[in-house]
Amino acid sequence: MNTHIDTHFQKKIITIHPGEYFSSFDDLYIATILGSCISIALFDPQIKLGGLNHFMLPTTWRENISPEEQGRFGNYAVELLLNDLYSKGAKKKNLKAKIFGGGNVLDTGTSSSNMTGINNINFAVTFLETERIPIVANDTGGIFPRKIYFHPQTAKVYLKRIQKTGMSLEQIKQQEEAYQEKLKKSQEKVGDITWF
């Protein structure tokens, strides 16, 4: 997690990375960049509290997952954020959700076997429907990465799709490939990460 003051927004920006989450009552923005990853923004409008997570894969069935790894997987990441919000006074009956990400940024124009983004989207929608948390906004899929700024007091989201021609896309592709390779090596060591 990184913190800085943004001159454009004139606000504190908390930037989260894969596996992280953050919630606040404060007048600030929680920011992240998403490729095939998903961020779920959850907020309780009654108390003006919101939070955002960032996960890479829908789920893992590993039994001995470390606390540092938990937020990388949707089945842990959403529970971590929910528990954080509940500890600050949020009520489940008041919660609303917004979903972002799940893009196929590694698409080369040919048939791709990379289903990570689609599986992440399906997990997020199914989880929230099962928990009966209404989804009030959903900007997912496609081939472009997204940069989002989430304002936890109002639940407003500023979203920018990063176009294919920029250097930023190449950096995101490299990060996605490096992160997937890291998870693949972890699977080879442990043997029980499920790839979708």
Side-chain angles (χ1 to χ4, degrees), residues 1-3 12-17 19-31 40-42 49-54 77 80-82 84-85 88 150 152:
M1 221 173 304
N2 297 330
T3 304
K12 182 196 273 189
I13 308 289
I14 308 292
T15 302
I16 61 170
H17 304 287
E20 297 179 336
Y21 66 93
F22 186 80
S23 71
S24 180
F25 291 99
D26 296 337
D27 183 20
L28 52 75
Y29 284 108
I30 308 168
I40 297 177
L42 293 171
L49 169 67
L52 187 73
N53 63 18
H54 182 150
L80 289 167
L81 180 56
L82 281 169
D84 185 53
L85 292 169
K88 294 175 179 174
F150 173 65

Side-chain angles (χ1 to χ4, degrees), residues 182-192:
K182 182 179 175 183
L183 288 174
K184 186 176 178 183
K185 286 180 182 174
S186 175
Q187 177 187 18
E188 290 167 1
K189 288 180 186 173
V190 178
D192 58 354

Side-chain angles (χ1 to χ4, degrees), residues 17-21 53-81 83 123 179 183 186 193:
H17 304 287
E20 297 179 336
Y21 66 93
N53 63 18
H54 182 150
F55 61 88
M56 182 69 181
L57 294 173
T59 189
T60 181
W61 302 111
R62 285 173 36 200
E63 293 180 14
N64 297 322
I65 185 166
S66 70
E68 295 78 29
E69 294 178 286
Q70 289 178 353
R72 297 176 186 171
F73 303 97
N75 60 327
Y76 286 98
V78 186
E79 291 292 343
L80 289 167
L81 180 56
N83 289 334
F123 166 81
Y179 193 69
L183 288 174
S186 175
I193 292 179

Side-chain angles (χ1 to χ4, degrees), residues 33 145 166-178:
I33 296 177
M167 181 64 175
S168 296
L169 178 61
E170 287 307 311
Q171 291 171 338
I172 290 168
K173 281 186 179 182
Q174 289 171 4
Q175 288 175 355
E176 289 268 325
E177 289 167 347

Side-chain angles (χ1 to χ4, degrees), residues 22-146:
F22 186 80
S23 71
S24 180
F25 291 99
D26 296 337
D27 183 20
L28 52 75
Y29 284 108
I30 308 168
T32 198
I33 296 177
L34 302 163
S36 61
C37 298
I38 288 282
S39 278
I40 297 177
L42 293 171
F43 57 98
D44 182 334
Q46 299 298 314
I47 61 172
K48 296 184 172 34
L49 169 67
L52 187 73
N53 63 18
H54 182 150
F55 61 88
M56 182 69 181
L57 294 173
T59 189
T60 181
W61 302 111
R62 285 173 36 200
E63 293 180 14
N64 297 322
I65 185 166
S66 70
E68 295 78 29
E69 294 178 286
Q70 289 178 353
R72 297 176 186 171
F73 303 97
N75 60 327
Y76 286 98
V78 186
E79 291 292 343
L80 289 167
L81 180 56
L82 281 169
N83 289 334
D84 185 53
L85 292 169
Y86 295 151
S87 73
K88 294 175 179 174
K91 302 285 186 240
K92 184 176 180 181
K93 66 179 183 178
N94 297 332
L95 287 178
K96 308 223 180 296
K98 296 183 178 185
I99 308 171
F100 304 95
N104 185 11
V105 299
L106 301 178
D107 180 32
T108 59
T110 61
S111 176
S112 174
S113 62
N114 184 358
M115 297 289 289
T116 305
I118 292 167
N119 290 319
N120 281 338
I121 295 165
N122 290 338
F123 166 81
V125 170
T126 302
F127 184 98
L128 293 167
E129 286 176 350
T130 301
E131 292 296 315
R132 296 186 177 143
I133 298 172
I135 300 166
V136 297
N138 183 340
D139 191 288
T140 55
I143 60 172
F144 296 112
R146 296 161 172 88

